[in-house]
Coordinates of all heavy atoms in Angstrom, one line a residue:
A792 N 4.6 -25.1 -48.4 CA 3.5 -26.1 -48.4 C 2.9 -26.2 -49.8 O 2.5 -27.3 -50.2 CB 2.5 -25.7 -47.4
Q796 N 3.0 -29.5 -52.1 CA 1.7 -30.3 -52.4 C 1.4 -30.3 -53.8 O 0.4 -30.8 -54.3 CB 0.6 -29.7 -51.6 CG 0.6 -29.9 -50.1 CD -0.5 -29.3 -49.3 OE1 -1.6 -29.2 -49.9 NE2 -0.3 -28.8 -48.1
G797 N 2.4 -29.7 -54.7 CA 2.3 -29.8 -56.1 C 1.4 -28.6 -56.8 O 1.1 -28.9 -58.0
A824 N 12.4 -24.7 -55.5 CA 11.2 -25.6 -55.3 C 10.2 -25.5 -56.4 O 9.1 -26.1 -56.3 CB 10.5 -25.2 -53.9
V905 N -8.9 -18.8 -41.9 CA -8.1 -19.8 -41.2 C -7.7 -19.3 -39.8 O -7.0 -18.2 -39.8 CB -6.8 -20.2 -41.9 CG1 -6.0 -21.3 -41.2 CG2 -7.2 -20.8 -43.4
D929 N 14.7 -18.2 -13.5 CA 14.3 -18.5 -12.2 C 12.9 -18.3 -11.8 O 12.2 -19.0 -11.1 CB 15.2 -17.8 -11.1 CG 15.2 -16.4 -11.4 OD1 14.4 -15.9 -12.2 OD2 16.0 -15.6 -10.7
T953 N -3.5 -24.7 -44.5 CA -4.0 -23.6 -45.3 C -4.0 -24.0 -46.8 O -5.1 -23.8 -47.4 CB -3.1 -22.3 -45.1 OG1 -3.2 -21.9 -43.7 CG2 -3.6 -21.3 -46.0
D958 N -8.0 -25.7 -51.7 CA -8.5 -26.5 -52.9 C -9.6 -27.4 -52.5 O -10.0 -28.3 -53.2 CB -7.3 -27.2 -53.6 CG -7.3 -27.0 -55.1 OD1 -8.1 -26.2 -55.6 OD2 -6.6 -27.7 -55.8
S977 N -2.7 -25.3 -20.8 CA -2.6 -24.1 -20.0 C -1.1 -23.7 -19.8 O -0.3 -24.4 -20.1 CB -3.3 -24.3 -18.6 OG -2.4 -25.1 -17.8
T992 N 12.9 -25.9 -11.4 CA 11.6 -25.4 -11.0 C 11.6 -23.9 -10.9 O 12.5 -23.3 -10.5 CB 11.3 -25.8 -9.5 OG1 11.4 -27.3 -9.5 CG2 10.0 -25.4 -9.0

Side-chain angles (χ1 to χ4, degrees):
Q796 293 180 33
V905 181
D929 52 8
T953 298
D958 227 9
S977 71
T992 301

